[in-house]
Amino acid sequence: MDKTDPYHDIRDAVRDLCTQFPDEYHRKVDAERGYPEAFVDALTQAGWLAALIPQEYGGSGLGLAEASVIMEEINRSGGNSGACHGQMYNMGTLLRHGSKAQKELYLPKIASGEWRLQSMGVTEPSTGTDTTKIKTTAVRRDGRYVVNGQKVWISRVQHSDFMILLARTTPLAEVTKKSEGMSIFMVDLRQAEKSGMTVRPIPNMVNHETNELFFENLEIPAQNLIGEEGKGFRYILDGLNAERMLIAAECIGDGYWFIDRVTRYVKDRVVFGRPTGQNQGVQFPIAESFIELEAANLMRWKACALFDAHQPCGAEANMAKYLAAKASWEAANVCLQMHGGFGFACEYDIERKFRETRLYQVAPISTNLILSHVAEHVLGLPRSF
Ligand SMILES: Cc1cc2nc3c(=O)[nH]c(=O)nc-3n(C[C@H](O)[C@H](O)[C@H](O)COP(=O)(O)OP(=O)(O)OC[C@H]3O[C@@H](n4cnc5c(N)ncnc54)[C@H](O)[C@@H]3O)c2cc1C
């Protein structure tokens, strides 16, 4: 462990915890399409998932850089932060835009682990990335909002107590800017399942618990509105920068995991009378992938530093996510390739991590949308949509 690393204490402690959950544990959970309940419980009990909650509400009040180290170390240890990262970025939305009463109600219980806030419902089947066209509506009626509509790919619903939901409160045709007229709500998931919300799990390539949600006259108390009515889209966007940086850190963790594994393997694997790693045809793609990972990591630190200093960081957050997702995917490819047939054997864990890291080119934001953000907002090119 590098003692000049300012975060070495956090790394040591998270790594220690992660060693109690070795490859066999994560492999078994993946094979069973289960949820790493014991792992997430241990992270919660140790306080790591409450890192961003201020101390006055029972958390440790750390910055995003520290939170990103926690996520990185989980992935670097062979685990998958996708099971629990939702709480980290959902927290920011509640912290920044929730009322004092909401923070006092939710945050201490989330910090203690009594409640989980792991879900965020934004994406819809018919609108995809074009979020301002969402069709789920929330209509105010007698001190309640009545929700109708549908969401897709909503993760961790079965392992969360609450979800932050984005819905239209003013029809698109009645707003001057398409980003206006949407609002966010805290939804008590167990209550909602009994009164208007149906959950349909979506089996998928990764062991990622994700679902389709159907709302039929689901009633949400008006006090569950977060912030001002009509400003929800902006609140969600605020939270996305933190999400991008945390995901970037997870990709960095994956990338180093792949590089560690492949480097170790090619030193030992002897073919044609010498280690495969003695061939430049094997060395160069590994070295290239390592260089790209290191470069992506620099952008991740830059983005985190800006965020923690409350500076604009949208471009850096997007670029960090783009570079890290690309670097981890390249590291995954080279690791699989240099393992030959063994890379496909589940007991090596490479195929599992390969599937897991592939997701980040698509979700939570696809690579094309990042390119479009940089083209338009950084380079000033004409708006394409
Ligand atoms: C495992 C998983 C978990 C998820 N969890 C959640 C969650 O918890 N909550 C939530 O709200 N959502 C979640 N999502 C949804 C995720 O954020 C979306 O899948 C993602 O944003 C892409 O949206 P889409 O699938 O509708 O793709 P589409 O919008 O249909 O896009 C498909 C492809 O076309 C490209 N494309 C679209 N428009 C353009 C354009 N104008 N220019 C260039 N390219 C374009 C995109 O880049 C993409 O590659 C999850 C998805 C997955 C797979």
Side-chain angles (χ1 to χ4, degrees):
M1 180 62 64
D2 174 9
K3 295 292 175 196
T4 62
D5 172 0
Y7 305 107
H8 72 83
D9 286 349
I10 295 179
R11 284 192 197 282
D12 282 348
V14 179
R15 269 187 206 185
D16 260 8
L17 185 151
C18 289
T19 54
Q20 296 163 38
F21 298 88
D23 290 344
E24 296 75 23
Y25 172 81
H26 296 293
R27 199 181 308 144
K28 187 164 183 287
V29 170
D30 180 66
E32 290 169 354
R33 286 295 193 250
Y35 185 80
E37 201 68 62
F39 183 51
V40 176
D41 273 352
L43 288 165
T44 308
Q45 292 319 317
W48 296 119
L49 299 185
L52 293 173
I53 299 180
Q55 288 178 341
E56 59 183 302
Y57 297 114
S60 39
L62 297 172
L64 194 73
E66 286 90 346
S68 80
V69 171
I70 299 166
M71 299 289 103
E72 177 190 342
E73 286 301 323
I74 291 172
N75 282 39
R76 194 171 182 163
S77 79
N80 179 10
S81 299
C84 58
H85 59 194
Q87 185 146 301
M88 286 283 193
Y89 45 81
N90 285 335
M91 193 62 54
T93 309
L94 188 57
L95 266 173
R96 271 190 308 275
H97 307 293
S99 66
K100 190 163 183 291
Q102 286 171 333
K103 289 188 230 182
E104 282 169 356
L105 172 65
Y106 297 112
L107 292 176
K109 288 193 171 155
I110 294 169
S112 72
E114 191 180 330
W115 285 346
R116 284 184 189 156
L117 173 58
Q118 292 279 16
S119 292
M120 177 171 70
V122 174
T123 309
E124 297 192 1
S126 60
T127 46
T129 317
D130 195 1
T131 309
T132 58
K133 304 255 175 58
I134 58 166
K135 299 197 176 66
T136 298
T137 55
V139 177
R140 192 163 179 147
R141 206 176 290 153
D142 305 328
R144 317 202 129 239
Y145 283 89
V146 181
V147 178
N148 282 286
Q150 192 181 341
K151 295 280 173 188
V152 72
W153 301 117
I154 309 309
S155 303
R156 297 166 296 272
V157 169
Q158 298 160 60
H159 295 92
S160 184
D161 298 290
F162 292 91
M163 167 178 72
I164 293 180
L165 174 73
L166 181 74
R168 261 221 173 266
T169 36
T170 309
L172 189 56
E174 292 172 26
V175 292
T176 42
K177 275 175 75 183
K178 61 182 182 176
S179 56
E180 287 168 0
M182 286 172 276
S183 306
I184 53 171
F185 303 90
M186 275 294 247
V187 177
D188 179 332
L189 286 166
R190 299 294 83 83
Q191 197 54 41
E193 275 189 280
K194 290 185 216 141
S195 56
M197 183 184 81
T198 307
V199 180
R200 194 178 71 80
I202 308 176
N204 63 88
M205 173 177 155
V206 206
N207 179 29
H208 193 103
E209 187 246 280
T210 193
N211 309 275
E212 230 176 329
L213 304 182
F214 302 87
F215 304 104
E216 205 182 330
N217 295 322
L218 169 72
E219 296 192 355
I220 305 177
Q223 68 262 28
N224 288 23
L225 172 75
I226 301 175
E228 264 182 70
E229 188 182 291
K231 300 232 158 72
F233 186 63
R234 183 167 66 72
Y235 300 157
I236 290 279
L237 285 186
D238 279 356
L240 293 185
N241 285 336
E243 183 188 59
R244 309 242 194 288
M245 294 177 216
L246 292 170
I247 301 281
E250 291 171 33
C251 291
I252 299 287
D254 279 343
Y256 286 125
W257 184 93
F258 287 117
I259 297 287
D260 286 348
R261 288 289 164 118
V262 70
T263 308
R264 203 188 318 154
Y265 185 78
V266 301
K267 280 182 191 158
D268 288 347
R269 173 71 174 165
V270 175
V271 182
F272 296 112
R274 60 182 179 182
T276 55
Q278 204 176 334
N279 300 297
Q280 289 189 330
V282 171
Q283 292 177 356
F284 287 4
I286 300 174
E288 189 177 17
S289 170
F290 177 71
I291 293 167
E292 282 169 13
L293 193 58
E294 291 271 294
N297 206 10
L298 293 178
M299 185 58 80
R300 166 265 188 112
W301 292 123
K302 181 176 180 187
C304 287
L306 287 170
F307 185 95
D308 285 333
H310 308 286
Q311 297 294 314
C313 60
E316 289 77 7
N318 275 291
M319 292 191 289
K321 153 75 172 55
Y322 169 89
L323 289 168
K326 196 161 173 257
S328 73
W329 175 236
E330 279 163 13
N333 256 325
V334 80
C335 185
L336 186 81
Q337 188 69 22
M338 300 315 173
H339 274 77
F342 292 107
F344 292 80
C346 297
E347 66 172 300
Y348 279 72
D349 298 296
I350 293 158
E351 61 80 37
R352 171 175 62 82
K353 295 283 282 179
F354 181 91
R355 286 184 274 116
E356 288 170 358
T357 218
R358 182 62 180 86
L359 174 66
Y360 297 124
Q361 305 262 340
V362 171
I365 173 111
S366 70
T367 299
N368 273 0
L369 269 289
I370 293 183
L371 294 174
S372 142
H373 175 91
V374 172
E376 184 185 327
H377 297 284
V378 182
L379 304 176
L381 296 178
R383 215 184 151 88
S384 61
F385 53 84

